[in-house]
Amino acid sequence: MKKVFTGAWQANNADLNQALTKLAKIAEIDFEIEISIDKMLKETNYRELVLSELSQLGHDELNTIIHWLNSPAASEQSPTATTSKLPLLLSAIACIAVVISVVFFFLPQQQQLETIAQQTPANTVKTVATQPAVAPQDTAIKKPEITEKTKQKLLFRLHGSNTIGEKLAPALLEGYLKQQGIIDFTWIQGDSPVERQLSYQQGNTNYFIELHAHGSSTAFADLSMDKADIGMASRRIKAKEITELQAKLGTLNSVGNEHIIGLDGLAVIVNQNNPIKQLSSATLAKVFSGEINNWSQLGGQDQAITIFSRDKHSGTWDTFKNLVLKKHNKKLASNAVRLESSSELSTRVSQNEGAIGFIGLNYVLHNKALAISAAKNTAAIFPTRFTIGTEDYALARRLYFYTPTSASNTVKSFAQYAISAQGQDIVAATGLISQNIKLEETYPRNDAPERYNYYVKNGKRLSLNFRFDYATKDLDNKGKRDLERLVSFMEQHQGRRIALLGFSDSVGAQLKNQNLSLSRAKSVELELTSRGIPVMAVEGLGEALPIANNNTEAGRKRNRRVEVWLL
C-alpha cells in the first residue's frame, strides 16, 4: 500500500480491493470475524462500523490498513486548495452582510414570527415529518418543539429472526404505518448491521419502533427479559421455551399468541455452474457433515465442497439442523463457514463454484436451488411458491410472530395486520410465500389412486393443506386461520364446489389409517359447512402419496393432511 488511497470506494479500484481483501483475511483468520467486501464498498454505515470495531483490536497490520483507508480524510486539503478558498470566504462574508441588512430592514414587520430552537440531545434520532405546502397567512406557523420526551416515545420492539427482520418485518412495519395514515417515516441504522429503528411523527409526538434481527433464539430470550414485545422466529417455539415462559407471557403456542405470518422454504443452493440438480435428505446430511467432501462423489466435477451455513442463533440454521442433520444423526462440519446474514451467504455461494449452502427461498438470487427428496419412496421436489405454500416441499417452514397474552392493543393490531390479506400481499412482495390462496393445475400421477387422478383431471388444487396433531382431528394454528382464508376465497368463487382429500401417516394398521384420514377430512367439512361453504366430496386416501419420511415425527405430521380441490 505504497500508493495513497484516492478515497474512491468503488469496485474497480484495484488498490482498494487488495486492501479490503487483506483486511477481511486477517479479520477471519486472527479473530474469526466475517467481513463483507461488497457491503464495505456499498454501505457507508456498515463500513464505518467495521473499521471502528477493527481499530479497537490492537492489531498492527489491521491498524496500518485502516489508517490507509482513512487517509483521504486527513489529506483532503492542499495548500493550493486553501489559497483558492480565500476569494470564496470574502464573498461569503459579503453575502452575510447583505443578509443581516435585509433582516434588520424587515424585522419590525415580522415581530409575530418565532424562532424555534430545536436541540437534539446526543444518541437520539431527529425525524421531522414532511409538511404539506400551505398558503401564506397573517399569523406565524409554529412547528412543535421536539423535546427529549417526545423523541424517545417507544411504540414497540421486534426482536429475533434475521430471515424475517432483514426484509419482511421492515416492509410489514411500513405497510402498517401507511394503513394508519402515516406516510413520513425514517429508518435509522443502529450500532449493529442487524439493528434498526423506524422513526415517525404523529401529531406533536415522535415515535420509534425498534427492530433487532440477531436470530430466532434471541426472540424468546428477549421476550423473557422484557427486551422485546414481539418475537420473530423462523422456527416454532420449543416445548422447553413454552414451559419456561408460560407463567410470565402466557401459552405462546396458542392461536392467540402464535401468528404464522408466512411460509418459506430452505432452499439448498449451489453455484449456477454446478451440474448437480437434486439430492436426497440423507445425502445432504453427509455433505454438510463433511462425510462427502468432493463434488465428484456425487457425479459432479473433481472439486472440493465448500460449506456455508447460517450462525448458531439463526432459526434458519435451527430448522436445517432438525430437518436434515439431526434427522440423520449428523453434525455440521467443523470447517463450515458460519454467517449471520442471509444475503451474505447467498453472495458467497454465487462467487464460489464449489460452494453449497442453505437459505430462505427469497435469497436464492444468483444461485441454483436443488430438488430435495425426503426419503427413498418420495419424489424429489423443487422449492416453488406452490410446493412451499402446500408444505409439500421437504424443507418448507413457517415464519412466526409471538406475542405475550398481555401485549398492548397496538402490538396485537400489528400482528393481526401481518396475517391479514393485505399483510400477506406484502409477504409475497418481499419474496416469501404468502398464505393468500391460489390455484394450481396439476397432472395425473402413475403412483396415485384412481380417485386422486379423477380430481386432478376435473379440478384444481388450492395452495393450502390442513394439518393435524397425532391421532387427533384438531387443526393446528395455521389450519384455524386458513379456514377463514378459505371462506373469503370461496366468497369470491361462488358457484364452485370443494372436494376434500384426506391422508394419513403410516403408523398403525392400513385400514385404521384410511378411516382416520377420512375422519379428518370430514372434520374440515364440518368446519366449512358451518360457515356456509358447500363441500361436494370427501375422500379418505390413507397412507397414499406420502410427501415426507414417515420415520420421523416431523415427516409424519406433514403426511397427516387434507388437500383442498376446487371443482
Side-chain angles (χ1 to χ4, degrees):
M1 294 183 292
K2 295 180 180 180
K3 296 182 180 179
V4 176
F5 177 39
T6 63
W9 288 86
Q10 297 173 349
N12 60 0
N13 187 328
D15 294 328
L16 175 61
N17 273 303
Q18 182 180 358
L20 289 178
T21 301
K22 191 171 184 180
L23 184 85
K25 187 175 181 179
I26 295 171
E28 183 172 3
I29 293 174
D30 292 1
F31 300 100
E32 296 185 353
I33 296 174
E34 295 286 344
I35 295 174
S36 167
I37 294 177
D38 184 59
K39 291 177 76 172
M40 289 288 286
L41 291 169
K42 295 179 181 179
E43 300 181 17
T44 303
N45 288 334
Y46 177 82
R47 179 197 313 151
E48 292 175 350
L49 176 64
V50 169
L51 294 180
S52 174
E53 291 186 352
L54 292 182
S55 66
Q56 299 175 32
L57 297 176
H59 191 284
D60 292 339
E61 197 168 359
L62 278 180
N63 288 340
T64 300
I65 299 172
I66 293 169
H67 176 73
W68 185 80
L69 293 171
N70 289 329
S71 61
S75 59
E76 282 179 348
Q77 294 186 359
S78 64
T80 305
T82 304
T83 304
S84 65
K85 289 181 180 177
L86 185 56
L88 293 175
L89 181 60
L90 293 174
S91 299
I93 294 172
C95 290
I96 292 171
V98 172
V99 171
I100 293 173
S101 301
V102 172
V103 169
F104 274 98
F105 177 78
F106 286 104
L107 187 58
Q109 303 176 44
Q110 301 294 327
Q111 289 179 346
Q112 294 180 2
L113 294 176
E114 296 181 19
T115 301
I116 301 174
Q118 298 183 354
Q119 298 180 346
T120 306
N123 299 322
T124 62
V125 179
K126 182 177 181 180
T127 304
V128 181
T130 304
Q131 300 292 332
V134 294
Q137 298 179 6
D138 292 335
T139 58
I141 301 174
K142 295 177 62 177
K143 290 184 179 179
E145 183 177 357
I146 301 177
T147 65
E148 173 73 10
K149 183 177 179 181
T150 58
K151 289 191 70 63
Q152 294 299 318
K153 187 142 188 176
L154 173 68
L155 195 65
F156 56 83
R157 302 158 297 177
L158 292 90
H159 290 192
S161 166
N162 177 260
T163 299
I164 299 172
E166 193 165 22
K167 293 181 180 180
L168 177 55
L172 287 172
L173 287 170
E174 290 182 9
Y176 177 70
L177 291 184
K178 289 175 183 177
Q179 187 189 62
Q180 309 302 312
I182 300 163
I183 58 174
D184 298 311
F185 40 76
T186 305
W187 281 103
I188 308 298
Q189 183 63 52
D191 295 333
S192 164
V194 293
E195 294 181 0
R196 285 180 280 176
Q197 73 177 39
L198 181 59
S199 299
Y200 67 95
Q201 189 175 39
Q202 189 173 32
N204 294 336
T205 306
N206 272 36
Y207 296 92
F208 72 92
I209 300 170
E210 182 178 276
L211 177 61
H212 290 184
H214 290 282
S216 294
S217 61
T218 64
F220 306 109
D222 288 358
L223 281 171
S224 69
M225 294 185 291
D226 291 326
K227 291 183 178 180
D229 303 295
I230 299 176
M232 306 179 293
S234 53
R235 62 164 174 84
R236 197 177 192 202
I237 187 171
K238 298 174 181 177
K240 180 181 178 182
E241 292 165 332
I242 294 171
T243 302
E244 291 175 348
L245 300 175
Q246 188 165 10
K248 186 175 184 179
L249 303 176
T251 307
L252 289 183
N253 65 337
S254 297
V255 68
N257 305 81
E258 181 182 71
H259 315 274
I260 295 138
I261 61 169
L263 298 164
D264 189 19
L266 286 191
V268 177
I269 56 172
V270 295
N271 189 277
Q272 288 184 347
N273 296 330
N274 193 318
I276 301 299
K277 295 181 180 179
Q278 65 182 55
L279 293 174
S280 68
S281 175
T283 302
L284 202 57
K286 292 179 180 179
V287 170
F288 276 88
S289 66
E291 188 175 328
I292 294 176
N293 55 26
N294 194 292
W295 287 110
S296 62
Q297 296 172 261
L298 301 172
Q301 298 177 354
D302 183 11
Q303 186 173 23
I305 297 174
T306 303
I307 301 170
F308 289 95
S309 167
R310 287 294 309 280
D311 67 288
K312 65 180 181 179
H313 298 296
S314 163
T316 304
W317 155 246
D318 194 78
T319 301
F320 183 84
K321 178 180 68 176
N322 285 287
L323 293 183
V324 178
L325 293 174
K326 188 177 288 187
K327 171 183 172 183
H328 298 286
N329 297 314
K330 305 290 183 184
K331 292 185 178 180
L332 184 68
S334 59
N335 64 343
V337 180
R338 307 296 294 270
L339 299 170
E340 184 178 29
S341 168
S342 299
S343 299
E344 174 71 1
L345 191 151
S346 181
T347 299
R348 296 284 290 272
V349 172
S350 71
Q351 296 171 344
N352 185 334
E353 292 192 357
I356 189 170
F358 55 87
I359 207 74
L361 184 65
N362 59 325
Y363 291 102
V364 172
L365 301 177
H366 308 297
N367 298 293
K368 179 173 73 174
L370 301 179
I372 305 298
S373 60
K376 290 183 179 180
N377 61 337
T378 62
I381 298 175
F382 282 99
T384 67
R385 294 188 177 280
F386 190 82
T387 60
I388 294 171
T390 58
E391 299 178 281
D392 288 352
Y393 174 62
L395 304 182
R397 62 173 176 173
R398 299 174 180 184
L399 304 176
Y400 301 86
F401 279 167
Y402 285 95
T403 57
T405 302
S406 59
S408 69
N409 287 336
T410 302
V411 166
K412 292 180 179 179
S413 176
F414 173 66
Q416 185 62 38
Y417 171 80
I419 63 176
S420 70
Q422 187 176 355
Q424 290 302 296
D425 285 340
I426 293 176
V427 171
T430 61
L432 294 166
I433 310 304
S434 163
Q435 296 172 94
N436 289 336
I437 298 173
K438 298 177 181 62
L439 289 169
E440 178 83 358
E441 188 167 348
T442 57
Y443 302 93
R445 295 176 53 172
N446 293 332
D447 59 341
E450 183 179 347
R451 291 298 298 163
Y452 186 88
N453 283 334
Y454 168 82
Y455 294 106
V456 170
K457 295 175 183 177
N458 293 281
K460 291 185 177 181
R461 188 177 168 192
L462 272 59
S463 60
L464 81 163
N465 284 335
F466 290 102
R467 285 190 161 81
F468 305 81
D469 293 325
Y470 175 68
T472 74
K473 295 185 291 183
D474 297 329
L475 289 172
D476 63 12
N477 288 341
K478 184 179 186 303
K480 293 170 185 175
R481 302 283 190 186
D482 281 343
L483 278 174
E484 303 308 318
R485 294 188 180 101
L486 185 52
V487 169
S488 298
F489 178 84
M490 291 305 296
E491 288 174 350
Q492 300 170 22
H493 293 79
Q494 295 185 12
R496 305 291 293 272
R497 294 293 183 269
I498 281 178
L500 302 172
L501 308 185
F503 298 86
S504 71
D505 58 37
S506 61
V507 176
Q510 187 173 2
L511 180 59
K512 176 185 175 183
N513 286 333
Q514 184 171 354
N515 291 335
L516 187 56
S517 68
L518 178 61
S519 176
R520 286 171 178 151
K522 286 186 174 181
S523 70
V524 176
E525 177 191 28
L526 180 62
E527 295 285 356
L528 291 174
T529 54
S530 68
R531 291 167 170 80
I533 303 301
V535 176
M536 177 180 175
V538 181
E539 304 271 2
L541 301 180
E543 304 170 15
L545 302 178
I547 58 174
N549 189 346
N550 274 308
N551 293 326
T552 68
E553 174 53 33
R556 290 190 291 271
K557 183 172 182 179
R558 290 178 54 229
N559 287 330
R560 297 192 294 266
R561 67 195 188 275
V562 172
E563 295 181 1
V564 185
W565 291 74
L566 191 69
L567 304 174

